[in-house]
Amino acid sequence: MKEVAFDKSLHPTANDAADAVGVHFSDKKHWFIAVVKHGNEKICGKILTDLGYENYVPYQRELRQYASGRRKWVDRLVLTSKVFVRTTEEDRLKNVVTLPVIYRFMVDPSRRANNMGHAAAAVIPDKEMDAFRRMLEQDDLPVTYQETGAVFAEGDKVQVVVGKLSGLEGTVIRTVEGKHRLYVSLDILGSASVEIESSWLKTIA
């Protein structure tokens, strides 16, 4: 694989992607979901292509009509900040996860964590990816995507299972677009809160 020169101004200086680690190494390739900075989806796809990685940026071609009456075919991004990359788990951990353009990989708390307690990276089965791509490749019907995740109600007691806050316990106080705000009481001082993805949480008794 050839090296690519990165424009550091386009990439984050901090990369917490290494927190999303897998369980077993094998030569089998899987589809993983890289999380990138909004607006850098095509850039990430090009970098991965130049490095020899099979990848997929989820666009759908659609005919857009403007107020002037002009019509033009455009590529509409279906999933923001997400790029699919197909590689082995070992290569993902050794090479892909370190690319400055990638923040991290989405994880699947339902998969068995490793001996350090980190959740495994989410894997998309080939059959599901093929069906998803087939849907996007047709331009007669617009495709929309509804992200899913664990649903927590306000007041639920939860624990963080992924990332640097792993093990932290708190209370959900509100939800916004698939993310949850985690509330931690400090008794004397009041409280602190942080917005966190629902897939990073689990309910506790």
Side-chain angles (χ1 to χ4, degrees):
M1 295 181 184
K2 62 182 180 180
E3 295 183 357
V4 175
F6 294 103
D7 181 350
K8 294 295 185 180
S9 66
L10 296 176
H11 313 311
T13 56
N15 190 335
D16 63 353
D19 285 337
V21 298
V23 180
H24 300 295
F25 289 151
S26 75
D27 294 331
K28 182 175 175 58
K29 290 185 176 182
H30 302 283
W31 281 105
F32 298 100
I33 311 167
V35 179
V36 304
K37 183 178 180 180
H38 180 51
N40 276 10
E41 296 89 356
K42 280 189 175 181
I43 294 173
C44 181
K46 183 179 185 307
I47 290 173
L48 289 168
T49 297
D50 289 344
L51 288 171
Y53 290 103
E54 182 180 359
N55 67 90
Y56 183 64
V57 181
Y59 281 91
Q60 184 180 32
R61 192 159 180 76
E62 67 176 20
L63 187 61
R64 183 168 298 175
Q65 182 161 348
Y66 297 88
S68 63
R70 183 173 66 95
R71 298 198 301 173
K72 179 182 179 182
W73 285 98
V74 298
D75 289 329
R76 175 178 59 86
L77 187 63
V78 176
L79 271 176
T80 60
S81 304
K82 307 290 193 305
V83 174
F84 298 92
V85 56
R86 192 168 189 266
T87 186
T88 65
E89 174 72 348
E90 183 174 14
D91 195 28
R92 183 187 71 82
L93 287 172
K94 288 184 176 179
N95 301 305
V96 185
V97 80
T98 63
L99 296 177
V101 75
I102 293 176
Y103 279 124
R104 58 181 177 81
F105 278 87
M106 291 191 68
V107 298
D108 182 359
S110 67
R111 293 181 62 198
R112 183 168 62 87
N114 70 352
N115 56 10
M116 295 181 65
H118 294 286
V123 170
I124 305 297
D126 288 350
K127 185 177 181 180
E128 291 184 12
M129 273 300 302
D130 290 343
F132 181 52
R133 295 178 70 163
R134 183 179 177 185
M135 286 180 65
L136 294 184
E137 285 166 3
Q138 60 80 30
D139 51 36
D140 295 327
L141 300 171
V143 176
T144 58
Y145 190 84
Q146 178 65 48
E147 294 198 45
T148 59
V151 178
F152 301 101
E154 292 191 15
D156 281 353
K157 302 295 183 182
V158 295
Q159 182 183 62
V160 181
V161 295
V162 176
K164 296 178 180 178
L165 295 179
S166 183
L168 179 69
E169 297 181 2
T171 304
V172 172
I173 57 173
R174 67 183 178 89
T175 61
V176 179
E177 298 180 353
K179 294 186 178 181
H180 295 73
R181 185 158 289 276
L182 186 66
Y183 162 94
V184 176
S185 175
L186 301 178
D187 291 334
I188 297 176
L189 296 178
S191 64
S193 64
V194 63
E195 192 170 271
I196 194 165
E197 291 191 16
S198 59
S199 61
W200 289 31
L201 301 173
K202 72 174 183 179
T203 304
I204 59 176

